[in-house]
Amino acid sequence: MLRKSFLAALAATALAVGTLPAAAQETVKIGIITPLTGPFASTGKQHETAARLYMQQHGTTVAGKKIELIIRDDAGRAENTARIASELIQNDKVSFIAGFGLTPLAMATAPIATNAKVPMIVMMAGTSIITERSPYIVRTSFTLGQSAVIIADWAAKNKVKKVVTLVTDYAPGHDAEKSFVDQFKSKGGEIVESIRVPIQNPDYAPFLQRVLDAKPDALYVFVPSGQGSILMKQYVERGLDKSGIRLIGTGDITDDDILNGFGDAAIGVITAHMYSTAHPSAMNKEYVAAFKKLNPSLRPNFASVGAYDGMHLIYEALKKTNGKTDGDALIAAMKGLKWESPRGPISIDPETRDIVQTIYIRKVEKKDGELYNVEFESFPDVKDPVKAAKK
Amino acid sequence: MSTADTFRQADAALKKKRAWHWLEYVFWLAVAATVFLFPSQHTLLTQIAIWSLFALSLDLLLGYAGIVSLGHAAYFGFGAYVAALFAINFTGEPLTVLLVAGIAAGLLGLVTSLLVLRGSDLTRLMVTLGIALVMYELANQMSWLTGGADGLTGMPVNPVFGVFPISFRPTNSYIYVLCVLFVLFVVARRIVHSPFGYSLRAIKGNPLRASSIGISTNRRLIAVYALGAAYAGVAGALLAQTTPVVSLTYIDFQRSADVLLMLIIGGTGYLYGGIVGSALFLIAQKFIGNVTPQYWEFWIGFALVVIALFARDRGVFSIIERVANALRKEKAKP
Amino acid sequence: MLTILFDGIAYGMLLFVISCGLAVTLGLMNFVNLAHGAFAMLGGYCAYVLVNFYGVPFFASLPVAFLFAAMIGLVAERSLYVHFYNRSHLEQVLFTIGLVFMTSALVDYFLGSQQRFINLPSYLQGRFDFFGVGIGKYRLLIILVCALIVIVLQLILGHTRFGSRLRAAVDDQRVARGLGINVNRVFALTFAAGCGLAGLGGALGAEILSLEPHFPLKFMIYFLIVVSVGGTSSITGPFLASILLGIGDVAGKYYAPRFGGFVIYTIMIVVLVLRPQGLFTRGTSK
């Protein structure tokens, strides 16, 4: 009995191995590597749902080729990402690698993409320098500088004079701090104090007490998207809201996916970011509804549009190359592409391969009993300010 | 019987113990065969070999000297950062880099061993953990040097001996890592079968008795701790050489915990446990992860519980042993 | 200044309630239970589901969280843990880490990987001034509840039959058995109570620590620190250690934000190097 089933399994394997190469000619494979477990798992889930949604809506055939999606978990660890990327390229013959939830994950994969000449779509990681690491990298998410500079502009215009900055003490935090501080100072603002809090930090109370004692007009915050909620709760608990200190920041702190769980503490927080679930376009309404249908436990956030637009970019590039999967041709096809996304109009900068998009100023409000980031001002065609400054 | 005779006898006994068993030859031949048998899996195999070396380094502490560590990644990560910085600033010659990383991590081990050697299992567990956490914070804070959370990139890796290129060549990388693993394994094997190794086991068995027969307990523990740290440093340097980025995850708590798990799965105190355990762990993680990228943790956890329920000392092997024994008994029945 | 002290105490109290169960298993029963945080997480999620989905009042959810975690603890102890009492520490580590992986994946599967918060009644939010000292209402609640628990624990341990049985069982299992004490039952109940307290702490702490599937691993380090620094010979040790760590952590972050991350670990290493048996032990070493 055992033997029989063993033989059957063997035969099945042989069959599968035998048919693989033939099928490979007709399919184009996309490998998404993203954190699906560990502390950044929600990013991966957003990516996965959005990518599947795109394929559901736009079909699995492009330019005569069948599209196959392979999703892998790297648990947020760089050596896994690098290993999976090279395995996907080498063994599964993927034509695109995509995902990348954190900066080091993208950095670890960049040389592999260069070496294999495979386009690499960054759907999340937001440090400016990433796209310079390989000519095969294209980004569909955002850069931290984009939001930080815009919120600085907005603050300077809206009678905020003294600001305390509070960022998490790691590289993206330093980026977010520097972009904001430089821009805010150049508009005549004053930075009273810059606080950096350690990554391993379950309790914000002491830092917020420090802010309260410094009495600024506003507190500018950047923390990894999961931690914003704790910070905000303690902001209210500590009475900072009543003492006239406004809370401003990049959109990471009011992550749409978890915003509703923040409670009324979050109402009135002002942030700058490229996507809100409440973006008032017909396309976005349809997107949100379809997304929730596919995965009712999630609310689409900025990570999801990164993946959705990344898939769009791949589809459009394949259309332009008529299904050819040559890396250089695909990258050339991606440069300068413009399209309407659920977040609004976006394009790929032909020079830097980075994203150009509208940044919105939003305020947290309660609509139909749920909390949303409601957009009230927009700054169109924002490029990555860090790269712009280098020129 | 003269003292000379006793020495001679003891020497002969030691030699006999350290002779290679035929199964060991088979094992290493099988390992060598993986180079040809699984050409598509070389990236995974490279990581298995590196984890093996890392687990082996922990086995030196845990299996032979009985020092429990929940912060062994401190030395792994330190070795990796030293390797990357040395390669960037001085030379990318791989073996030199390994040597430097090993020595640096060994020195760190030497210094920190003074903190570790006191107290019970729990105290050691916590002190090693504390050291690793402080190292993690340091690497994070000194971002001007280490790149912080962005990671450290741009480390040059020259061909080995000037002729054997390894960057972006999975097969060559694998051969290179495997050779390093084998050489260091042989060295470790020699050490644990030397009088020094036996004195360690005596200390592990009963420190009080060991010191009463004239073994200087502390000096030996310090020595083996530094050795284990040096091995871990080399493992870290190897990972740095075969992965394009050195990041904070090289030094985080999860790495310390994972290596401990791998070693326990494979079994402690016979040097092969780390190799077997890391192979099983990583292969299982990969294949379960491919089937269910979101929930592989559940099945790994399930496997750990099952292994823990049925295993003793020798990890998974004790399960095999018990099953074999049960079968034998079954057969013996008329 | 006093506000910082107040916050530190609240934080420390919370750590104590969650980790006192661990002090019992680890210290008294000599069992390395790395899955302790999982029980805290389950209690927290239990309260979350009750309050947010079924509209149960927050205060009513706390005892339920306690019972829920205690029940699961009891079942786990009888079915699984009991096989590991006489095994090596390493096998206990393997087993309990396996449990952590499983619970994390299960929670992720059923409730998602996003952070969750319990909807608090509005009268627990915000803070008031008390002679110039800002006092967070929720933190005050934590302190009150935790203080109550500490007192009850002390009374149970010191003045009840069960308490003396437990102390006897811990001091010398064999003699205790000889005296007719059902040691297994005492341990099982103690274990369950420890899990229940962790669950209660998880529910109370959800607001400050935030709930996510990764919770047990994220905070395991803190719980272990409390137990190892506090020593395990009494309940006062871990209690004082928790308070010390809470205040040290909060004050360190306030006065030297740059080095805030180091303070807690450095305290631990220094204490353990100087007093390997923990800070608050009677000075005897086994």
Side-chain angles (χ1 to χ4, degrees):
Chain A
M1 179 59 220
L2 201 77
R3 197 168 194 169
K4 222 178 198 170
S5 57
F6 176 73
L7 282 179
L10 203 72
T13 322
L15 208 70
V17 170
T19 49
L20 262 179
Q25 287 162 2
E26 302 301 326
T27 42
V28 171
K29 294 184 186 170
I30 303 168
I32 294 191
I33 315 166
T34 187
L36 284 159
T37 56
F40 306 98
S42 53
T43 301
K45 295 204 173 131
Q46 293 274 348
H47 279 167
E48 183 181 356
T49 312
R52 293 204 189 283
L53 174 64
Y54 189 87
M55 290 184 65
Q56 202 184 63
Q57 288 177 338
H58 296 83
T60 50
T61 319
V62 181
K65 298 286 177 91
K66 195 169 160 42
I67 304 289
E68 190 188 325
L69 195 63
I70 302 177
I71 293 184
R72 292 280 183 269
D73 168 38
D74 60 16
R77 303 177 76 77
E79 87 252 31
N80 289 352
T81 322
R83 190 199 79 220
I84 294 166
S86 53
E87 282 174 356
L88 285 175
I89 292 171
Q90 208 187 24
N91 302 346
D92 297 301
K93 311 278 180 236
V94 297
S95 308
F96 301 88
I97 46 176
F100 311 102
L102 300 162
T103 301
L105 311 185
M107 302 281 238
T109 317
I112 294 168
T114 313
N115 192 51
K117 298 190 188 333
V118 169
M120 167 172 162
I121 319 296
V122 176
M123 294 173 163
M124 179 71 182
T127 310
S128 167
I129 198 170
I130 292 172
T131 48
E132 293 168 25
R133 286 305 170 93
S134 166
Y136 294 93
I137 294 181
V138 181
R139 174 155 40 200
T140 57
S141 51
F142 60 96
T143 73
L144 284 169
Q146 286 178 329
S147 303
V149 163
I150 296 302
I151 192 76
D153 271 349
W154 182 87
K157 265 195 275 174
N158 287 274
K159 294 182 201 147
V160 174
K161 294 203 175 58
K162 288 192 290 180
V163 169
V164 171
T165 65
L166 186 153
V167 302
T168 301
D169 196 357
Y170 73 137
H174 302 168
D175 265 24
E177 181 190 284
K178 189 172 181 308
S179 299
F180 179 87
V181 168
D182 290 353
Q183 183 73 10
F184 191 61
K185 276 188 180 159
S186 76
K187 300 273 168 174
E190 183 196 346
I191 304 290
V192 186
E193 194 177 353
S194 287
I195 301 174
R196 291 178 176 182
V197 303
I199 297 189
Q200 309 281 354
N201 182 39
D203 189 10
Y204 283 98
F207 302 110
L208 289 173
Q209 187 62 35
R210 224 179 145 83
V211 173
L212 189 64
D213 296 347
K215 297 195 172 55
D217 298 327
L219 168 67
Y220 164 79
V221 171
F222 170 84
V223 290
S225 75
Q227 293 189 10
S229 44
I230 314 174
L231 187 132
M232 217 158 295
K233 289 198 161 256
Q234 299 188 350
Y235 171 87
V236 172
E237 187 205 322
R238 212 128 286 271
L240 269 76
D241 54 337
K242 299 201 181 68
S243 62
I245 301 172
R246 292 163 101 167
L247 186 61
I248 58 176
T250 61
D252 306 71
I253 53 169
T254 53
D255 184 345
D256 284 304
D257 195 5
I258 49 175
L259 179 61
N260 201 36
F262 287 16
D264 294 350
I267 291 177
V269 175
I270 291 169
T271 55
H273 217 38
M274 88 300 182
Y275 176 72
S276 159
T277 314
H279 182 65
S281 73
M283 183 180 188
N284 184 51
K285 279 183 184 127
E286 197 190 318
Y287 172 72
V288 174
F291 190 99
K292 281 191 175 159
K293 211 172 141 198
L294 194 63
N295 191 339
S297 69
L298 292 181
R299 196 202 248 189
N301 69 357
F302 51 90
S304 82
V305 288
Y308 191 80
D309 289 328
M311 291 299 287
H312 183 80
L313 185 67
I314 290 172
Y315 271 47
E316 290 305 306
L318 278 173
K319 278 181 202 160
K320 270 171 100 177
T321 62
N322 282 322
K324 268 198 301 188
T325 53
D326 172 63
D328 293 298
L330 286 170
I331 291 291
M334 289 176 183
K335 283 181 183 171
L337 270 180
K338 261 184 208 259
W339 70 96
E340 168 84 16
S341 145
R343 64 182 116 168
I346 59 176
S347 66
I348 300 296
D349 188 336
E351 283 169 47
T352 59
R353 289 163 279 105
D354 220 328
I355 189 156
V356 182
Q357 58 193 336
T358 307
I359 300 291
Y360 307 88
I361 306 284
R362 312 96 48 90
K363 189 180 204 168
V364 177
E365 286 174 17
K366 202 167 213 168
K367 282 204 322 200
D368 314 326
E370 290 198 23
L371 294 174
Y372 286 100
N373 287 301
V374 178
E375 297 163 352
F376 63 90
E377 209 173 322
S378 57
F379 293 73
D381 295 333
V382 180
K383 290 189 178 188
D384 174 32
V386 180
K387 279 191 213 80
K390 276 185 192 160
K391 272 184 230 152
Chain B
M1 201 160 55
S2 72
T3 2
D5 272 345
T6 322
F7 273 127
R8 217 171 298 130
Q9 269 182 357
D11 203 38
L14 279 181
K15 268 202 184 119
K16 201 173 157 199
K17 275 236 163 172
R18 70 170 177 251
W20 285 59
H21 192 273
W22 63 270
L23 268 176
E24 296 184 77
Y25 291 109
V26 174
F27 178 85
W28 284 103
L29 280 176
V31 170
T34 55
V35 176
F36 308 101
L37 289 178
F38 306 104
S40 62
Q41 301 296 338
H42 282 163
T43 5
L44 177 68
L45 287 167
T46 308
Q47 290 193 347
I48 292 177
I50 294 171
W51 275 104
S52 298
L53 182 62
F54 186 30
L56 172 71
S57 77
L58 185 63
D59 198 9
L60 287 175
L61 304 188
L62 184 58
Y64 290 90
I67 303 173
V68 196
S69 171
L70 205 50
H72 208 44
Y75 311 103
F76 183 92
F78 187 66
Y81 276 111
V82 168
L85 292 170
F86 185 80
I88 289 168
N89 292 314
F90 301 101
T91 169
E93 206 288 305
L95 295 177
T96 320
V97 170
L98 287 188
L99 192 67
V100 171
I103 292 173
L107 285 176
L108 183 70
L110 196 67
V111 176
T112 45
S113 68
L114 302 174
L115 301 173
V116 176
L117 291 183
R118 307 185 44 150
S120 60
D121 271 5
L122 175 63
T123 318
R124 281 180 179 164
L125 213 66
M126 294 313 294
V127 171
T128 47
L129 174 64
I131 292 170
L133 291 171
V134 168
M135 291 293 292
Y136 179 94
E137 269 303 314
L138 277 176
N140 180 37
Q141 296 273 335
M142 293 161 71
S143 52
W144 50 272
L145 185 68
T146 61
D150 276 354
L152 189 60
T153 47
M155 166 184 180
V157 184
N158 298 357
V160 186
F161 300 126
V163 291
F164 191 70
I166 49 176
S167 42
F168 294 117
R169 294 170 194 243
T171 307
N172 289 9
S173 295
Y174 182 45
I175 295 173
Y176 164 68
V177 171
L178 216 50
C179 289
V180 175
L181 171 67
F182 182 68
V183 170
L184 288 178
F185 175 85
V186 172
V187 173
R189 197 179 180 286
R190 187 77 180 70
I191 293 174
V192 299
H193 286 108
S194 70
F196 171 73
Y198 283 101
S199 68
L200 284 178
R201 262 171 278 185
I203 296 171
K204 184 192 174 194
N206 188 337
L208 222 68
R209 194 178 296 165
S211 62
S212 71
I213 59 168
I215 298 173
S216 53
T217 324
N218 264 354
R219 282 217 334 245
R220 275 158 213 263
L221 288 181
I222 289 173
V224 77
Y225 195 82
L227 182 74
Y231 265 58
V234 173
L238 281 175
L239 187 59
Q241 286 174 337
T242 49
T243 308
V245 66
V246 178
S247 64
L248 290 174
T249 54
Y250 275 57
I251 208 164
D252 67 359
F253 170 68
Q254 186 158 9
R255 188 172 300 273
S256 302
D258 280 352
V259 76
L260 189 60
L261 290 183
M262 289 177 194
L263 181 61
I264 306 174
I265 291 173
T268 58
Y270 69 116
L271 295 181
Y272 287 96
I275 304 177
V276 174
S278 53
L280 285 177
F281 191 86
L282 291 173
I283 292 172
Q285 184 176 334
K286 180 182 163 163
F287 287 101
I288 302 173
N290 284 359
V291 178
T292 160
Q294 293 194 16
Y295 305 112
W296 59 267
E297 270 185 320
F298 178 82
W299 297 108
I300 291 269
F302 185 71
L304 291 181
V305 170
V306 170
I307 292 176
L309 270 175
F310 297 107
R312 296 274 191 285
D313 245 11
R314 283 275 192 270
V316 280
F317 285 107
S318 40
I319 297 183
I320 298 171
E321 219 168 86
R322 292 175 85 188
V323 172
N325 280 343
L327 286 179
R328 227 173 285 150
K329 264 185 213 155
E330 197 73 19
K331 257 190 193 163
K333 273 184 200 162
Chain C
M1 175 58 214
L2 281 174
T3 310
I4 292 295
L5 196 66
F6 176 79
D7 288 344
I9 292 173
Y11 191 46
M13 289 274 208
L14 192 59
L15 280 181
F16 171 74
V17 169
I18 298 182
S19 38
C20 66
L22 185 63
V24 174
T25 33
L26 190 60
L28 305 184
M29 290 146 80
N30 196 21
F31 191 104
V32 182
N33 182 14
L34 298 183
H36 191 73
F39 294 102
M41 175 175 76
L42 289 177
Y45 272 106
C46 170
Y48 161 74
V49 169
L50 286 176
V51 173
N52 290 22
F53 293 177
Y54 298 102
V56 175
F58 177 68
F59 280 105
S61 77
L62 291 180
V64 182
F66 174 87
L67 286 176
F68 180 70
M71 279 310 295
I72 291 192
L74 193 65
V75 172
E77 201 270 348
R78 284 290 91 192
S79 60
L80 293 169
Y81 278 77
V82 73
H83 300 292
F84 286 90
Y85 281 135
N86 297 317
R87 304 278 284 274
S88 76
H89 282 169
L90 293 180
E91 280 151 10
Q92 294 169 353
V93 165
L94 201 63
F95 162 65
T96 49
I97 290 257
L99 277 190
V100 169
F101 280 177
M102 286 169 76
T103 31
S104 291
L106 283 177
V107 165
D108 190 343
Y109 182 79
F110 287 111
L111 292 161
S113 53
Q114 303 99 320
Q115 281 183 327
R116 301 295 183 195
F117 287 97
I118 299 171
N119 294 338
L120 286 183
S122 55
Y123 56 84
L124 282 175
Q125 293 170 4
R127 67 180 197 169
F128 58 87
D129 256 8
F130 185 76
F131 295 114
V133 181
I135 294 193
K137 291 177 191 161
Y138 193 74
R139 277 171 204 259
L140 184 64
L141 173 79
I142 289 178
I143 293 186
L144 292 177
V145 173
C146 295
L148 195 70
I149 290 172
V150 173
I151 294 168
V152 170
L153 276 182
Q154 275 295 11
L155 288 177
I156 290 180
L157 278 180
H159 298 278
T160 64
R161 219 183 166 85
F162 181 78
S164 41
R165 276 185 187 154
L166 174 63
R167 279 177 294 140
V170 164
D171 273 351
D172 196 325
Q173 271 197 45
R174 275 177 54 198
V175 174
R177 269 182 225 277
L179 289 172
I181 296 174
N182 187 343
V183 175
N184 291 350
R185 216 173 83 197
V186 170
F187 276 176
L189 285 176
T190 315
F191 187 89
C195 292
L197 284 178
L200 176 63
L204 264 181
E207 179 76 3
I208 290 177
L209 308 173
S210 92
L211 280 171
E212 51 178 319
H214 207 58
F215 182 93
L217 280 181
K218 195 168 154 198
F219 291 101
M220 183 177 87
I221 298 170
Y222 278 76
F223 307 148
L224 285 174
I225 292 176
V226 166
V227 175
S228 59
V229 169
T232 47
S233 61
S234 67
I235 220 163
T236 7
F239 178 69
L240 291 177
S242 307
I243 302 290
L244 186 77
L245 281 177
I247 294 174
D249 197 42
V250 171
K253 282 172 185 163
Y254 182 80
Y255 290 107
R258 254 322 170 53
F259 304 101
F262 291 101
V263 174
I264 194 163
Y265 309 134
T266 321
I267 296 183
M268 176 184 77
I269 293 180
V270 171
V271 166
L272 288 181
V273 166
L274 297 178
R275 301 278 312 254
Q277 300 296 327
L279 197 53
F280 305 101
T281 42
R282 277 160 284 178
T284 53
S285 58
K286 280 181 197 168

